[in-house]
Amino acid sequence: MIVLKISNASEVVASKVGRFLERLTPDSVDQSAVEDQLIKKLIENLAAEGLKGEIAAINGLDLDGSDLSLKTELKVRKHTSF
């Protein structure tokens, strides 16, 4: 299993749509948008290599250095098989 943590979602969104529009969107929307694009590209690249599997975006996990913490509620925000 691989865990990825996106730590600069707001900056990425700001660079794509501009600072003004980025300020109008909540950070959770920025995070979800960046995660969704990352998942799309990962699926394209992994499938092109012939790999099969599943990928999920999960709310309620936090990665801090070598520590993985669970919040009281885990929720699968998005799940895709490839």
Side-chain angles (χ1 to χ4, degrees):
M1 183 175 291
I2 298 171
V3 176
L4 296 171
K5 179 180 179 180
I6 309 300
S7 59
N8 66 337
S10 293
E11 291 85 7
V12 171
V13 170
S15 72
K16 301 289 182 188
V17 299
R19 287 274 176 209
F20 176 73
L21 290 176
E22 187 273 331
R23 288 186 187 124
L24 297 176
T25 61
D27 287 341
S28 61
V29 172
D30 295 348
Q31 187 75 22
S32 295
V34 170
E35 286 175 354
D36 290 346
Q37 285 300 311
L38 177 63
I39 288 170
K40 179 181 172 185
K41 292 295 184 182
L42 278 172
I43 288 171
E44 288 173 5
N45 290 320
L46 294 171
E49 294 295 326
L51 293 167
K52 294 181 182 180
E54 299 175 57
I55 191 165
I58 301 174
N59 293 339
L61 280 175
D62 191 26
L63 181 63
D64 185 20
S66 61
D67 295 327
L68 182 66
S69 59
L70 304 172
K71 297 186 179 178
T72 55
E73 184 177 311
L74 285 177
K75 181 174 180 171
V76 176
R77 187 182 63 74
K78 182 175 185 162
H79 177 264
T80 306
S81 296
F82 58 93

